Amino acid sequence: MSKRNIITFITMFLVGILIFWYFIRDININVLVSDFFTINWWWIVVALGCMFLYLGLEAVVTKTIVDTQVDNFTFRDAIRVPLVEQLFNGITPFSSGGQPGQLYVMVQTGVDAGKASSTLLMKFVVFQTMIVINFILSLIVGFQYVEEKLHYLAWLVLFGFFIHLFVIIALLLVMYWYTFTKSLVNNIIKPVRWFIKDDKFNSFKAMLDNKIDTFYMESIRIAKQWKLMLKIIIITFFQLAFYYLIPYFIILALGFDQVNIIMIVSLHVLIFMIISLFPIPGGTGGAEYSFEALFKSFITNNTKLILALIIWRLITYYLGMILGVIAFCIRPKKIEK
């Protein structure tokens, strides 16, 4: 990791401590400690298990795809990919560092950069598609509730949905209307020429053309592997399902066993979308506010609500970053070519 990344990593933990302090500042510490010792830790273990399954199934997806391209790619190296993704997602705005981080550790293992990019592309297409589908279902169940609790943020949720939907549509355009998409992109970027020199514009245009060409060629290859795609879709479905279930088990651990699992899962899907829109790494601030606002109707004890928030954040955000640092430091086992 670079010095800048290390500083950001430490900073995000310090910011997290400040945010936790903000939420507990008006709470009686004795009550907080007392409620802490009433937690049913078996349900917390289940919540942790869901997070480990989320990471493990993404490793399975990675290994499944890479195994069709190279031999001797071990699960040990496959698990490094989602863990390092968690790390760089957590320390970069809009999770922008996750993809380059995954590419780095795969190339480090000995996977060809082109094949690694192809793997990440397939994962990205399936993951984005599943997020959009899950989000549509969650909107049907929980949007009215979100609108009542978060008001203006509800429209931010919809904005996030349209961004993800736009990404999927753009990918489909490249896959099925290649010529039209390339022409459309070239027309859209024409105004950029007004602000930069011709050589920089030509370089930028060539880079975009190369990206579109690469994606198109890879999409043709992927389309021929429909059985593999189906397998990846099924695994990704369960991967996300385990992640979305985490708050439900945390709420059970705090003694609130009359909650509606469908509503809790739907709200977590919407929180996932909200987090992706906040420019601060990890959606810090927005994630905690959203959780507190949406789940306070289900966790009626304010002290236990804050405990749930802290446990949820530790499991879904900070745990992944810590494991990511460990994975990043582990020496990869080079594949035999």
Side-chain angles (χ1 to χ4, degrees), residues 51 54 85-86 89 95 127-128 130-132 134-135 138 157 160 164 239-240 243-244 247 265-278 282-283 286-287 290-291 294-295 312 316:
M51 188 63 192
Y54 170 77
E85 177 191 14
Q86 290 288 306
N89 277 346
S95 302
F127 194 82
Q128 286 292 122
M130 295 305 295
I131 285 177
V132 169
N134 289 332
F135 188 74
S138 298
V157 170
H164 284 271
Q239 176 198 356
L240 288 170
Y243 180 84
Y244 293 144
V265 168
S266 298
L267 292 178
H268 198 205
V269 172
L270 300 180
I271 289 175
F272 186 84
M273 187 66 71
I274 293 171
I275 292 173
S276 69
L277 291 175
F278 277 78
S290 303
F291 186 95
L294 291 179
F295 288 118
W312 169 73
T316 60

Side-chain angles (χ1 to χ4, degrees), residues 136-277:
I136 292 172
L137 296 175
S138 298
L139 278 180
I140 296 171
V141 176
F143 181 73
Q144 186 175 355
Y145 178 82
V146 173
E147 190 175 22
E148 292 173 0
K149 298 296 179 181
L150 296 182
H151 306 298
Y152 63 91
L153 275 183
W155 301 107
L156 188 63
V157 170
L158 280 179
F159 178 67
F161 165 70
F162 284 117
I163 289 177
H164 284 271
L165 184 62
F166 172 79
V167 171
I168 294 298
I169 291 173
L171 294 175
L172 290 174
L173 281 173
V174 176
M175 291 172 69
Y176 297 105
W177 291 282
Y178 168 73
T179 304
F180 167 76
T181 305
K182 200 162 185 179
S183 175
L184 178 65
V185 170
N186 286 333
N187 285 323
I188 289 174
I189 66 171
K190 280 183 179 179
V192 176
R193 188 189 290 269
W194 305 339
F195 305 100
I196 61 177
K197 296 180 179 179
D198 286 346
D199 57 339
K200 288 187 176 181
F201 175 80
N202 291 332
S203 177
F204 173 68
K205 181 177 178 299
M207 182 271 294
L208 282 180
D209 286 341
N210 180 61
K211 293 288 185 183
I212 293 172
D213 292 343
T214 301
F215 180 81
Y216 176 67
M217 296 304 296
E218 286 300 324
S219 66
I220 293 175
R221 189 184 68 81
I222 291 171
K224 295 177 181 178
Q225 297 178 292
W226 63 270
K227 289 184 179 180
L228 175 63
M229 283 292 288
L230 181 60
K231 185 176 181 180
I232 299 307
I233 288 170
I234 293 171
I235 297 172
T236 303
F237 170 81
F238 284 104
Q239 176 198 356
L240 288 170
F242 283 120
Y243 180 84
Y244 293 144
L245 280 166
I246 292 172
Y248 176 71
F249 294 120
I250 293 174
I251 293 172
L252 290 183
L254 293 166
F256 298 91
D257 54 5
Q258 301 300 315
V259 292
N260 185 322
I261 186 173
I262 301 299
M263 178 61 81
I264 297 300
V265 168
S266 298
L267 292 178
H268 198 205
V269 172
L270 300 180
I271 289 175
F272 186 84
M273 187 66 71
I274 293 171
I275 292 173
S276 69
L277 291 175

Side-chain angles (χ1 to χ4, degrees), residues 79 99 106-108 117 144 173 193 252 271 274 306:
I79 194 64
Q99 291 284 332
M106 291 179 71
V107 172
Q108 191 183 38
S117 298
Q144 186 175 355
L173 281 173
R193 188 189 290 269
L252 290 183
I271 289 175
I274 293 171
I306 302 308

Side-chain angles (χ1 to χ4, degrees), residues 293-313:
L294 291 179
F295 288 118
K296 65 183 177 183
S297 295
F298 302 94
I299 309 174
T300 52
N301 181 310
N302 189 53
T303 306
K304 289 188 175 183
L305 174 63
I306 302 308
L307 274 175
L309 185 157
I310 293 172
I311 294 169
W312 169 73
R313 200 63 171 142

Side-chain angles (χ1 to χ4, degrees), residues 58-130:
E58 184 169 347
V60 171
V61 168
T62 302
K63 188 174 185 334
T64 300
I65 300 173
V66 174
D67 281 348
T68 66
Q69 302 170 328
V70 299
D71 297 323
N72 304 314
F73 185 71
T74 66
F75 186 79
R76 176 177 175 271
D77 286 322
I79 194 64
R80 292 181 69 233
V81 177
L83 294 180
V84 171
E85 177 191 14
Q86 290 288 306
L87 169 61
F88 285 96
N89 277 346
I91 62 174
T92 53
F94 297 111
S95 302
S96 57
Q99 291 284 332
Q102 292 180 82
L103 181 62
Y104 174 80
V105 294
M106 291 179 71
V107 172
Q108 191 183 38
T109 307
V111 180
D112 177 76
K115 292 177 179 179
S117 298
S118 173
T119 298
L120 296 179
L121 174 63
M122 185 178 289
K123 282 177 55 182
F124 179 76
V125 170
V126 173
F127 194 82
Q128 286 292 122
T129 303
M130 295 305 295

